[in-house]
């Protein structure tokens, strides 16, 4: 079926950069921890570091790389104040009303658990095993034909050689691209369906896909004889990692170029492809290992629909047959303004192992083009990219390549890095049309859980109105209503000061007469303009639940006219007063669901 030349590349020399010692992110998308998540548990810790994983299977059993970090409830004087205020409120209640409030909290906790699980949900990314099963079924980019009992099995020599010592020896004597290899299996009782199941096992690590062949391969004696004749493979993960490291029987070369260089070096068809997709394919002359990266067309096709469509188009145009005849690997030229060279090792590593290893990023290679704007957005002008910024940029490349396993691994890395310092950049990035909605949900969850710490830091003034509004609308916000009102007003005052500074002439900026230099006193602020800034936010503060009822924060807001009417529970009512705003059963038109604020819940229980 093809020329049996010996010049087709099948070296087993180590690939460039394959020995980097770095942190790894293991990806798993279908299994979630079933631990309870009530009002007292948290997903994130403000104090955490990255540890090098040592057991991939153990790692994938949890929330993928999203680690559920539970931190101890803070025993601070502030929490004690909140508990005391709640105790004073409940001291005048009937025990049945207190019990009703606890039941309300328990219902809200159950809703929080459902909301949390829903926020973690995302489509399952096809694993390496699943993609290799599809590769065996659909026969993309095969380069050897196995003939067994008159039946032809198109296959991929690199995968068979990496997985099975028998095939490694057998195929070394038939190196030709598209060679036909007659199979002489000595183990008795092996028929065509069983041989197909054996090949399926080599591709996936599992016997068969259902049917009679599965039952027959359960025969222990047959399995023992097969293992003696073919050898016992390592785990699929280990063998594919070895294939990535040594690139035996590689049949693709990844090159990098600028637009002008691609147009000069590629044929007309390749230049058109480059203009449309950022990738072109040509045969070109030999290049040094420093310029090209080796790969297997089978793996590229199995893991990325983008590469698969590109290579299938070459088969339809007849270019593939030319390469088979010439015994040359396919060169894929990548436009560095779209897919920077610094990330390609990471992309390939994930294709072969399902592991995102950012340590393989080529440091000191700045990104170019539109994807580099992501780094500019989150770096704030800093020089070197951080691990989080690299994951953000690589996420967009993964979407371009339609490689969802890599995209989800990048999402996990970004979420793992959530902290007070990184919260605002991650919120900004994930809010953009090109950002990750999944990451945005996790970042908003972090904001709600750590709201009390966020508002007491400078991070408060960096929050956008949209993100602050989303937080204070949540039933699960970890802050008292008094603190929410206090810091929302502080945020509004800071926004007004920024407006005043922006309205000053540039010549005065930074001088003794400027707002930034002399500072602004509260009495200098225009209350009407402050009310306009806060008008979208204040309606969502549950003033009926502010404790203590005579709070100075609430009184000050009323005096300034920021809140037009006092809380409804302060108005004359038939009975109960305060309890009406907390209990559904006493609803007289003023009930508001109490937030699941931990100190209040503990005291009520």
């Amino acid at each position: 079926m093809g020329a049996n030349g010996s010049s087709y590349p099948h070296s087993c020399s180590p690939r460039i950069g394959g020995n980097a010692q770095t942190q790894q992110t293991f990806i798993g998308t279908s299994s979630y921890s079933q631990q309870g998540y009530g009002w007292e548990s948290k997903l994130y810790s403000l104090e955490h570091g990255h540890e090098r994983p040592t057991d991939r299977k153990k790692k994938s059993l949890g929330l993928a790389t999203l680690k559920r970090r539970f931190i101890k409830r803070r025993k601070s004087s502030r929490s004690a104040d909140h508990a005391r205020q709640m105790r004073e409120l409940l001291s005048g209640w009937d025990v049945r009303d207190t019990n009703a409030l606890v039941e309300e909290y328990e219902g809200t906790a159950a809703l929080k658990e459902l909301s949390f699980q829903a926020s973690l949900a995302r489509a399952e990314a096809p694993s390496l095993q699943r993609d290799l099963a599809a590769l065996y079924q659909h026969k993309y980019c095969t380069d050897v034909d196995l003939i067994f009992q008159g039946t032809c099995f198109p296959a991929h020599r690199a995968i068979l050689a990496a997985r099975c010592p028998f095939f490694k020896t057998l195929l070394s004597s038939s190196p030709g691209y598209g060679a036909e290899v007659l199979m002489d299996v000595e183990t008795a009782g092996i028929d065509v369906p069983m041989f197909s199941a054996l090949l399926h096992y080599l591709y996936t690590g599992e016997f068969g896909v259902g049917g009679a062949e599965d039952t027959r391969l359960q025969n222990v004696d047959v399995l023992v004889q097969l293992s003696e004749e073919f050898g016992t493979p390592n785990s699929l993960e280990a063998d594919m990692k070895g294939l990535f490291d040594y690139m035996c029987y590689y049949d693709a070369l990844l090159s990098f170029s600028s637009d002008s260089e691609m147009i000069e070096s590629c044929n007309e068809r390749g230049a058109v492809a480059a203009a449309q997709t950022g990738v072109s394919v040509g045969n070109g002359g030999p290049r040094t290992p420093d310029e090209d990266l080796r790969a297997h067309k089978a793996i590229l096709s199995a893991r990325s629909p983008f590469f698969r469509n590109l290579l299938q188009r070459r088969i339809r145009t007849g270019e593939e047959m030319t390469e088979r005849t010439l015994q040359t690997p396919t060169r894929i030229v990548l436009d560095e303004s779209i897919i920077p060279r610094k990330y390609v090792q990471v992309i390939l590593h994930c294709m072969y192992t399902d592991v995102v290893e950012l340590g393989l990023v080529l440091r000191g290679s700045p990104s170019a083009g539109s994807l580099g704007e992501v780094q500019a957005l989150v770096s704030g002008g800093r020089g070197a990219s951080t691990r989080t910024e690299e994951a953000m940029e690589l996420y967009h490349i993964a979407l371009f390549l339609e490689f969802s396993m890599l995209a989800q691994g990048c999402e996990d890395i970004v979420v793992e890095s959530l902290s007070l310092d990184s919260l605002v950049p991650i919120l900004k990035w994930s809010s953009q049309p090109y950002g990750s909605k999944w990451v945005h949900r996790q970042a908003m969850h972090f904001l709600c859980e750590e709201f009390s710490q966020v508002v007491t830091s400078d991070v408060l003034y960096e929050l956008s109105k949209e993100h602050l509004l989303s937080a204070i609308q949540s039933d699960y916000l970890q802050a008292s209503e008094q603190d929410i009102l206090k810091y929302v007003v502080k945020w509004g005052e800071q926004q007004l000061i920024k407006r005043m500074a922006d309205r000053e002439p540039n010549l005065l900026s930074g001088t003794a007469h400027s707002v930034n230099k002399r500072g602004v006193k509260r009495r200098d602020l225009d209350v009407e303009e402050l009310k306009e800034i806060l008008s979208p936010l204040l309606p969502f503060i549950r003033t009926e639940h502010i404790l203590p009822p005579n709070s100075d924060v609430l009184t000050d807001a009323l005096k300034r006219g920021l809140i037009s009417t006092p809380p409804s529970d302060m108005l004359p009512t038939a009975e109960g007063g305060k309890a009406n705003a907390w209990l559904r059963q006493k609803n007289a038109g003023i009930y508001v669901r109490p937030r699941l604020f931990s100190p209040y819940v503990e005291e009520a229980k």
Side-chain angles (χ1 to χ4, degrees):
M1 292 183 63
N4 292 323
S6 60
S7 60
Y8 184 76
H10 54 274
S11 75
C12 292
S13 58
R15 65 178 287 108
I16 304 168
N19 60 347
Q21 300 296 321
T22 57
Q23 291 179 317
Q24 299 179 352
T25 294
F26 293 86
I27 308 166
T29 59
S30 60
S31 57
Y32 294 95
S33 172
Q34 299 299 317
Q35 299 180 36
Y37 189 87
W39 53 267
E40 63 182 18
S41 59
K42 293 190 176 180
L43 176 61
Y44 308 99
S45 171
L46 290 175
E47 299 177 0
H48 63 273
H50 299 291
E51 298 181 357
R52 181 181 178 89
T54 57
D55 187 341
R56 181 178 181 275
K57 291 185 177 179
K58 180 178 180 181
K59 184 83 171 181
S60 66
L61 292 177
L63 287 170
T65 57
L66 179 58
K67 302 174 183 177
R68 299 193 64 181
R69 303 181 179 96
F70 294 92
I71 65 175
K72 296 180 180 180
R73 294 191 294 276
R74 301 178 181 88
K75 300 297 183 181
S76 64
S77 59
R78 192 73 182 127
S79 295
D81 288 342
H82 292 312
R84 177 179 52 78
Q85 292 165 4
M86 190 62 172
R87 191 181 314 120
E88 291 175 356
L89 170 69
L90 298 178
S91 63
W93 284 26
D94 186 280
V95 67
R96 290 170 294 183
D97 290 342
T98 304
N99 184 64
L101 179 61
V102 171
E103 290 179 353
E104 185 73 28
Y105 279 138
E106 290 175 344
T108 306
L111 291 175
K112 182 178 182 179
E113 168 67 12
L114 292 175
S115 173
F116 171 66
Q117 295 295 340
S119 73
L120 288 175
R122 58 182 171 182
E124 181 179 3
S127 65
L128 173 65
Q129 182 186 65
R130 176 176 158 186
D131 283 340
L132 289 182
L135 177 67
Y136 176 68
Q137 178 182 359
H138 298 293
K139 317 297 183 186
Y140 303 125
C141 300
T142 57
D143 56 6
V144 64
D145 294 321
L146 305 178
I147 309 300
F148 179 73
Q149 295 184 1
T151 302
C152 178
F153 291 89
H156 306 86
R157 63 173 66 242
I159 294 176
L160 296 179
R163 294 282 288 143
C164 180
F166 173 85
F167 280 110
K168 184 176 182 180
T169 302
L170 177 66
L171 295 174
S172 63
S173 61
S174 301
Y177 197 161
E180 291 185 351
V181 178
L182 295 175
M183 296 296 303
D184 183 15
V185 180
E186 297 179 359
T187 301
I190 302 296
D191 56 14
V192 170
M194 294 180 70
F195 185 74
S196 177
L198 174 62
L199 293 180
H200 182 274
Y201 169 76
L202 293 178
Y203 276 75
T204 67
E206 293 183 348
F207 280 117
V209 292
E213 65 270 22
D214 288 346
T215 303
R216 282 177 285 191
L217 279 174
Q218 295 302 320
N219 188 310
V220 176
D221 294 336
V222 173
L223 291 177
V224 171
Q225 293 178 45
L226 282 173
S227 65
E228 292 175 352
E229 183 173 358
F230 286 84
T232 303
N234 300 312
S235 67
L236 179 66
E237 293 81 6
D239 284 337
M240 294 304 294
K241 179 62 167 61
L243 185 59
F244 169 79
D245 289 336
Y246 294 99
M247 284 294 161
C248 298
Y249 297 110
Y250 69 91
D251 58 0
L253 291 173
L254 302 181
S255 302
F256 304 87
S257 176
S258 64
D259 288 341
S260 58
E261 191 177 346
M262 278 194 297
I263 294 174
E264 294 175 0
S265 62
C266 300
N267 57 40
E268 182 176 356
R269 180 182 294 104
V272 172
Q276 293 177 345
T277 66
V279 177
S280 65
V281 185
N283 287 323
R287 294 198 177 191
T288 65
D290 291 337
E291 295 175 320
D292 294 338
L293 288 175
R294 299 169 180 174
H296 298 93
K297 290 187 288 186
I299 302 299
L300 297 177
S301 297
R303 304 312 308 272
S304 167
F306 173 84
F307 280 120
R308 182 190 315 141
N309 294 335
L310 182 70
L311 293 169
Q312 290 297 106
R313 184 165 63 247
R314 288 177 53 74
I315 294 175
R316 291 193 296 269
T317 59
E319 294 171 87
E320 183 79 6
M321 294 305 299
T322 301
E323 288 177 358
R324 283 177 178 248
T325 302
L326 296 176
Q327 300 295 312
T328 57
T330 298
R331 172 164 290 123
I332 302 175
V333 183
L334 305 177
D335 184 347
E336 268 204 286
S337 66
I338 297 178
I339 306 176
R341 177 189 175 91
K342 63 187 255 187
Y343 291 122
V344 176
Q345 288 264 35
V346 183
I347 296 169
L348 290 176
H349 185 271
C350 187
M351 285 185 171
Y352 285 79
T353 66
D354 275 354
V355 177
V356 179
E357 191 169 352
L358 287 182
L360 294 175
V361 173
L362 298 178
R363 311 297 179 186
S365 301
S367 302
S370 59
L371 289 178
E373 297 173 4
V374 176
Q375 178 180 332
L377 172 67
V378 297
S379 64
R382 296 190 302 272
S385 299
T386 66
R387 174 181 168 88
T388 304
E389 292 161 3
E390 289 169 345
M392 290 176 178
E393 189 171 2
L394 190 55
Y395 170 80
H396 299 290
I397 299 172
L399 295 185
F400 179 79
L401 297 176
E402 302 175 75
F403 186 15
S404 56
M405 182 64 76
L406 176 61
Q408 291 190 1
C410 293
E411 288 177 328
D412 292 338
I413 291 172
V414 173
V415 170
E416 280 185 334
S417 70
L418 274 169
S419 65
L420 285 181
D421 292 335
S422 66
L423 175 60
V424 171
I426 290 176
L427 281 172
K428 287 181 179 179
W429 172 77
S430 61
S431 299
Q432 300 297 323
Y434 51 74
S436 164
K437 292 182 175 59
W438 187 84
V439 169
H440 187 70
R441 294 198 298 269
Q442 313 316 313
M444 285 304 304
H445 179 83
F446 179 93
L447 173 59
C448 290
E449 287 295 308
E450 303 296 343
F451 192 77
S452 293
Q453 295 204 43
V454 169
V455 297
T456 54
S457 69
D458 290 339
V459 176
L460 168 67
Y461 306 118
E462 299 176 32
L463 290 174
S464 69
K465 180 180 294 186
E466 293 72 24
H467 296 146
L468 185 57
L469 177 60
S470 295
I472 66 175
Q473 287 178 309
S474 172
D475 289 335
Y476 320 123
L477 192 66
Q478 290 303 301
S480 69
E481 296 301 330
Q482 176 180 246
D483 286 346
I484 295 172
L485 175 59
K486 174 182 176 181
Y487 290 106
V488 165
V489 172
K490 279 181 173 287
W491 176 89
E493 291 172 345
Q494 185 65 26
Q495 298 304 307
L496 179 53
I497 292 172
K498 289 180 181 178
R499 282 191 185 183
M500 294 170 64
D502 291 341
R503 286 197 293 260
E504 286 196 344
N506 292 333
L507 291 176
L508 297 180
S509 180
T511 67
H513 302 286
S514 70
V515 169
N516 292 330
K517 196 74 174 179
R518 71 172 184 266
V520 177
K521 295 182 179 180
R522 245 177 124 202
R523 63 173 178 267
D524 298 329
L525 298 177
D526 184 343
V527 175
E528 291 303 317
E529 192 170 2
L530 179 60
K531 287 168 65 175
E532 181 266 323
I533 292 173
L534 294 176
S535 59
L537 303 172
L538 292 177
F540 296 99
I541 298 177
R542 305 174 191 187
T543 54
E544 292 84 354
H545 298 160
I546 290 180
L547 297 178
N550 59 346
S551 164
D552 293 339
V553 175
L554 176 58
T555 302
D556 181 70
L558 289 169
K559 285 181 179 180
R560 299 173 73 185
L562 301 178
I563 298 176
S564 57
T565 58
S568 55
D569 59 278
M570 297 175 67
L571 301 174
T573 57
E575 62 171 325
K578 199 71 177 174
N580 285 340
W582 293 75
L583 298 178
R584 192 185 305 270
Q585 294 86 342
K586 291 182 174 291
N587 185 4
I590 62 174
Y591 169 77
V592 179
R593 182 194 294 273
R595 297 188 201 269
L596 200 67
F597 182 41
S598 296
Y600 288 178
V601 176
E602 290 179 354
E603 190 60 34
K605 287 188 172 182

